[in-house]
Amino acid sequence: MRHTKLFRKVAALLFLLLTTVSLSACAVESDNSVRVYNHVKSSKTITWGVKFDTALFGIKSVKTNKLEGFEIDLARLLTKEILGKDGKAKFIEVTSQTKIPQLKNNNLDAVLATMTITDERKKSVDFSTPYFKAGTSLMTKTSSPIKSIKDLNHKGRVAIVVKGTTAADDIARLAPKAKIRQYNDYGACTNALLAGQGDAVATDNGILAGIAEQHKSLHLVGGTVAVEPYGIAVEKGQTKMLEAINKALQEAKADGSYHKLVKKWFGNIPGFSVKEAEY
């Protein structure tokens, strides 16, 4: 009889222990969805992954050595919306190849770096609502006979793209006869085009507009061949941070501050439609 009572007590204690551990595990799992949000709120800082080499979006000025561009301004605007006037935006450089790994390694709180929303990327990260209606386009020399994606679709033509971008997939689908040559960044792509190592650079219209603005011998041709909007990426499952970003974006669009930034950076680019680019 004593052994039975002892057994029951031990069983009850084990059940209580297992229940407590299970509830604790559930709590930890639930709390994980607010990990990044709690961190930025306590530190009053959001660490953004941004481009340092992309004109109009995010580039380090040679004259001032400071970061400037639409995405830099937007990151600062969203930081204030989320954290208040004392909130700080910290910037870390990312490339097309490093932005997702850096985000998943907890080096960043969010990525705001001309990042196209794709189903494949959604497997690794969560995206905000779109903030820029980008579309793959072509940039050629002004002396080039290529005026559209059809002109690129011939044997011997070479399309230049940045590694890790979606442009390679678009070219393979829309101009399958063209050879694709990949480089690490947009500067290398531009130099390759200027040196005659390819016939056209293929990437997003906004990025090409920024490059063409700096090189009078280059221009955009053929319009956009695929609409691929940009979104802000956060680590998978960080729902609280994603909600905060979406809310801040919505407020910025409603009060006109988002439109002012789009117009500031893209309003004076010949042939570029602000109305078509903004959400």
Side-chain angles (χ1 to χ4, degrees):
M1 190 69 175
R2 290 180 179 178
H3 290 298
T4 301
K5 288 183 177 180
L6 180 61
F7 175 78
R8 288 177 178 171
K9 288 182 178 180
V10 171
L13 286 171
L14 284 173
F15 177 77
L16 181 61
L17 179 61
L18 288 172
T19 301
T20 302
V21 170
S22 178
L23 289 173
S24 297
C26 289
V28 170
E29 183 179 352
S30 177
D31 287 343
N32 186 54
S33 66
V34 299
R35 176 177 55 79
V36 173
Y37 180 76
N38 287 344
H39 167 71
V40 302
K41 290 294 274 188
S42 62
S43 65
K44 283 290 183 182
T45 302
I46 299 179
T47 301
W48 300 91
V50 298
K51 293 290 188 68
F52 278 36
D53 67 344
T54 307
L56 301 181
F57 287 92
I59 193 165
K60 183 167 280 191
S61 171
V62 177
K63 294 180 180 179
T64 64
N65 202 38
K66 293 181 179 180
L67 278 174
E68 58 184 34
F70 169 65
E71 290 179 331
I72 305 303
D73 284 352
L74 182 59
R76 291 189 174 115
L77 175 64
L78 296 180
T79 298
K80 299 298 182 184
E81 291 278 5
I82 295 170
L83 299 178
K85 61 183 180 63
D86 295 326
K88 296 180 181 179
K90 178 181 178 182
F91 299 113
I92 291 180
E93 182 179 14
V94 296
T95 65
S96 298
Q97 299 83 42
T98 66
K99 51 193 172 188
I100 291 180
Q102 287 204 60
L103 185 62
K104 297 182 78 65
N105 288 338
N106 299 321
N107 295 332
L108 310 168
D109 298 317
V111 172
L112 184 54
T114 63
M115 193 168 180
T116 303
I117 300 171
T118 67
D119 290 337
E120 185 62 29
R121 286 172 177 166
K122 285 179 181 178
K123 296 175 183 178
S124 302
V125 300
D126 288 332
F127 282 102
S128 69
T129 53
Y131 66 88
F132 193 87
K133 198 176 293 181
T136 298
S137 189
L138 300 177
M139 179 178 70
T140 67
K141 291 182 179 179
T142 53
S143 58
S144 173
I146 295 176
K147 304 301 178 185
S148 69
I149 191 72
K150 290 182 180 180
D151 296 332
L152 191 64
N153 190 30
H154 293 281
K155 188 176 181 180
R157 297 295 193 190
V158 177
I160 301 169
V161 304
V162 171
K163 293 177 183 177
T165 63
T166 56
D169 295 333
D170 291 332
I171 295 300
R173 176 170 51 87
L174 299 169
K177 294 180 182 179
K179 180 180 179 181
I180 297 174
R181 188 166 290 162
Q182 301 189 51
Y183 294 86
N184 288 327
D185 54 53
Y186 296 111
C189 286
T190 303
N191 290 335
L193 180 63
L194 291 170
Q197 295 171 5
D199 297 290
V201 174
T203 194
D204 299 331
N205 52 350
I207 294 173
L208 292 180
I211 297 172
E213 185 187 34
Q214 300 174 356
H215 298 273
K216 300 306 179 184
S217 62
L218 303 177
H219 66 168
L220 277 67
V221 297
T224 56
V225 298
V227 176
E228 298 175 328
Y230 294 157
I232 300 169
V234 300
E235 188 183 349
K236 198 77 176 171
Q238 291 304 308
T239 54
K240 187 66 175 177
M241 188 63 190
L242 190 63
E243 289 171 1
I245 289 173
N246 280 334
K247 182 180 178 183
L249 264 175
Q250 184 178 11
E251 291 173 350
K253 291 173 183 178
D255 66 20
S257 53
Y258 161 81
H259 171 71
K260 288 180 181 178
L261 291 184
V262 177
K263 189 174 181 180
K264 170 186 174 182
W265 290 101
F266 301 96
N268 297 317
I269 304 298
F272 192 90
S273 172
V274 168
K275 187 176 181 179
E276 289 181 3
E278 65 181 4
Y279 276 91

